[in-house]
Amino acid sequence: MKFQFRQTYQIKASAAIFCMLLNLLPGFYSITFAADEGDNADIFAAAESFFNNMRKSDYPSIWSGLTVESRARIVRNVHKEMRKAGIGEYTDERIRNDFETNGEISNAYWRGYLVQFDPKTILEESRWTMGQVKKDRAEIIIRYRKSQHDAILKMYLQEGLWKVGLEETFYTRRSWW
């Protein structure tokens, strides 16, 4: 009889411990989900800040909110167009420095860009949802209220901060995933 009592007690104790662990799992998942939401909030905040900087014409902040690849492509494209137009003896380094110091070229580029693109449509007239998120890259799905199609903004984690892949979003021909 002692043996049967101990065995029953052990089974009940094991079942009780198992049930307690099951009760802890929802808490674990909610903590994990909350951490994911926090990460997503950082991604959304970086994108929103970028477009707000466009709205304010804060060119140095726009530049610092771009990925390394976007900056390099912008510099290459500006250099190419300046050579075509026969404008001065500019190097990629000189153009990059102009963007970093908010020079004449930078101002002309962003003024022209913002004539074609109104950040208000993204900030006030569009719905944002999170797309795929990986360790160092994410997608924000943006649907303008009058559109049938989504725009997928590519974000990259660089130097500990989420950056906007402006050129990667609109001008890439290869898959990034």
Side-chain angles (χ1 to χ4, degrees), residues 43-67 70-71 74 109-110 113-114 117 119 122-123 128 153-155 162-167 169-170:
I43 297 166
F44 281 129
E48 183 179 17
S49 176
F50 179 82
F51 291 113
N52 273 320
N53 288 330
M54 281 186 155
R55 183 176 13 202
K56 295 183 294 188
S57 298
D58 183 351
Y59 305 144
S61 295
I62 295 170
W63 187 251
S64 68
L66 290 172
T67 62
S70 284
R71 291 184 216 163
I74 289 169
Y109 178 86
W110 290 118
Y113 191 95
L114 294 173
F117 174 79
I122 298 270
L123 290 165
W128 294 25
L153 180 66
K154 296 177 184 179
M155 302 288 293
W162 285 100
K163 305 282 185 162
V164 174
L166 195 64
E167 294 290 312
T169 297
F170 298 108

Side-chain angles (χ1 to χ4, degrees), residues 47-110:
E48 183 179 17
S49 176
F50 179 82
F51 291 113
N52 273 320
N53 288 330
M54 281 186 155
R55 183 176 13 202
K56 295 183 294 188
S57 298
D58 183 351
Y59 305 144
S61 295
I62 295 170
W63 187 251
S64 68
L66 290 172
T67 62
V68 171
E69 179 63 23
S70 284
R71 291 184 216 163
R73 285 186 190 186
I74 289 169
V75 168
R76 282 192 308 267
N77 291 339
V78 167
H79 189 197
K80 181 179 169 184
E81 292 304 315
M82 290 177 84
R83 274 196 325 258
K84 275 185 192 177
I87 302 173
E89 292 294 320
Y90 286 91
T91 63
D92 282 357
E93 185 58 38
R94 186 170 171 195
I95 295 167
R96 182 179 2 276
N97 185 55
D98 187 89
F99 275 94
E100 290 170 358
T101 60
N102 195 31
E104 234 177 85
I105 298 168
S106 170
N107 280 286
Y109 178 86
W110 290 118

Side-chain angles (χ1 to χ4, degrees), residues 136-150:
D136 62 346
R137 59 186 84 195
E139 293 178 338
I140 297 175
I141 302 166
I142 301 172
R143 167 88 48 111
Y144 176 57
R145 65 179 172 81
K146 294 181 181 179
S147 177
Q148 298 281 327
H149 305 284
D150 296 330

